[in-house]
Amino acid sequence: SVVAMSPNAASVLAPLVHAATPDRILQLRIVDPAMGSGAFLVAACRYLAGAYEAALIQTGGCQPSDLGDQDRAAIRRSIAERCLYGVDLNPMAVQLARLSLWLTTLAADRPLSFLDHRLAIGDSLLGAWVASLGRPPDRARRRPASARPELPLFDEPDVAGFHDALAAAVPVRFSLESTPNNTLEEVRAKERALAAMNGRDGALTRWKRIADLWCALWFQTAGQAVPAAAFGALSDAILTGGGPLPAPTADAYWRRSEQIAAARRFFHWELEFPEVFFAADGSRLTSGGFDAVIGNPPWDMIRADAGARDLRGLARADVALLLRFTRDAGIYRAQSDGHANRYQLFVERSIRLDAQKPQCAGH
């Protein structure tokens, strides 16, 4: 289900929990790609916790009188840790969302960081799919249908390396949701595991850097250009430590790419939440994606027609870069050449994230 809904989660989540077992409910993946302070996730947490309790009773796992307040709080914690995901561009909003779920789950004995791997800072609309990285960052969407497809940039060993990176990262992600959080030390152990996986030299982090580079090449301004033709060589350098570019040149290009990525907060869904899209062995899930995409994303036109004249000029330049990415990069396929609306981008992104996406909503 892909909808924008009110904080009443029943209309979207009810079909997912109807006649579901407790285990199946804990396997659901729900995301809010513009979560703000987390109101929709809190509503989803409460609803799924109630459904889980009802399923326990229905299957004979317990009696209604068996469950007290502490048991229900533990159920809500399990739902928050296993089922819920959220992303927002505003770091303060992400902290508020973590706090909201922390209060909802009555996790007074746990630090806010116990949800760090699920509630993330980033721009939900700006990021690359893994399939995008197999071609240079050029005007993919406007290329004539008859144009000859380009050969992939990565040969078979590099593809295998990507699968190896996933095979190392996905089990860690699964352990973060399945390992108990009953003590502060258990939470700290999860923090260390997450930090090690996301370290700069981590296998999956190297692919995130490549995805950052791919996106950054769309957001360059005059005088700051990293040549698009260098994408393959730079990718090879990050994966193998070699490549044809001199090290000082490659380092300068990478610094510029990282500056743009940090400013834009690129968010590559398959690499940030790999367990949603890939199995523990690194293979792609046939129905990878979220069971429901919830929330109420921004509804505003992407243009720069307010404020002082000089500020409008800067804003127009920024908007032009954004539109170049959304219209030409091939990440979005349903955008028109008219006025762009951020809500339309969220709808298309939500369809792509949906596990039951139509077959036409590909890369």
Side-chain angles (χ1 to χ4, degrees):
S1 301
V2 180
V3 299
M5 69 175 198
S6 71
N8 180 4
S11 60
V12 173
L13 301 182
L16 298 176
V17 300
H18 177 69
T21 65
D23 286 344
R24 173 55 189 151
I25 292 173
L26 287 180
Q27 292 171 3
L28 292 174
R29 309 284 192 182
I30 314 299
V31 67
D32 186 342
M35 65 179 170
S37 60
F40 291 86
L41 291 177
V42 167
C45 183
R46 294 186 181 279
Y47 184 85
L48 291 177
Y52 181 87
E53 179 179 341
L56 276 179
I57 296 170
Q58 183 68 29
T59 58
C62 68
Q63 298 296 318
S65 58
D66 294 337
L67 296 174
D69 291 341
Q70 289 186 343
D71 299 308
R72 292 186 173 92
I75 291 172
R76 292 196 295 274
R77 282 196 292 273
S78 294
I79 294 294
E81 293 166 356
R82 293 186 168 206
C83 302
L84 304 182
Y85 294 78
V87 182
D88 201 276
L89 182 60
N90 186 333
M92 182 61 71
V94 175
Q95 282 296 93
L96 289 174
R98 290 171 180 165
L99 177 60
S100 296
L101 277 174
W102 183 76
L103 294 172
T104 300
T105 59
L106 297 178
D109 58 336
R110 307 180 190 196
L112 284 174
S113 55
F114 88 107
L115 290 174
D116 278 3
H117 62 296
R118 292 303 188 92
L119 306 183
I121 301 168
D123 191 325
S124 294
L125 300 178
L126 301 185
W129 302 114
V130 171
S132 306
L133 307 181
R135 58 176 172 80
D138 60 6
R139 298 171 70 88
R141 180 175 179 268
R142 297 177 185 269
R143 183 183 301 146
S146 60
R148 182 180 179 180
E150 299 192 24
L151 295 175
L153 287 171
F154 306 119
D155 56 21
E156 189 59 31
D158 288 327
V159 174
F162 175 65
H163 292 157
D164 291 344
L166 287 172
V170 173
V172 175
R173 297 282 305 187
F174 281 130
S175 71
L176 293 175
E177 68 182 41
S178 61
T179 305
N181 280 326
N182 297 324
T183 67
L184 183 60
E185 179 51 37
E186 287 173 338
V187 175
R188 296 304 187 197
K190 287 189 176 186
E191 291 177 349
R192 291 191 292 269
L194 184 63
M197 185 183 68
N198 291 336
R200 184 174 178 82
D201 294 327
L204 199 60
T205 301
R206 290 198 291 270
W207 285 93
K208 290 180 185 179
R209 293 180 64 195
I210 293 172
D212 281 345
L213 171 65
W214 192 92
C215 292
L217 291 174
W218 293 96
F219 287 91
Q220 299 181 103
T221 57
Q224 301 172 329
V226 176
F231 176 70
L234 287 168
S235 300
D236 186 58
I238 196 64
L239 292 174
T240 66
L245 290 175
T249 301
D251 290 344
Y253 286 165
W254 276 117
R255 284 195 299 273
R256 180 57 195 151
S257 167
E258 290 168 352
Q259 290 171 354
I260 295 173
R264 294 283 177 172
R265 294 198 172 106
F266 296 138
F267 193 84
H268 317 291
W269 285 87
E270 293 168 312
L271 302 178
E272 296 292 346
F273 300 139
E275 72 278 12
V276 178
F277 302 94
F278 300 95
D281 63 357
S283 62
R284 183 175 289 278
L285 296 171
T286 55
S287 59
F290 295 93
D291 297 286
V293 184
I294 63 176
N296 185 22
W299 188 309
D300 62 285
M301 303 302 293
I302 303 176
R303 57 190 182 191
D305 54 3
R309 178 177 299 178
D310 56 340
L311 295 179
R312 289 201 304 270
L314 293 173
R316 277 194 294 269
D318 185 74
V319 166
L321 294 174
L322 174 60
L323 293 180
R324 180 170 67 182
F325 178 80
T326 61
R327 289 174 174 169
D328 295 342
I331 299 296
Y332 296 94
R333 299 301 180 94
Q335 304 309 305
S336 69
D337 292 332
H339 290 301
N341 190 308
R342 207 174 303 274
Y343 190 87
Q344 294 172 344
L345 297 175
F346 269 106
V347 169
E348 186 173 345
R349 175 53 50 102
S350 296
I351 292 172
R352 182 63 188 87
L353 292 173
D354 185 14
Q356 303 302 319
K357 65 184 77 65
Q359 290 301 310
C360 61
H363 294 291

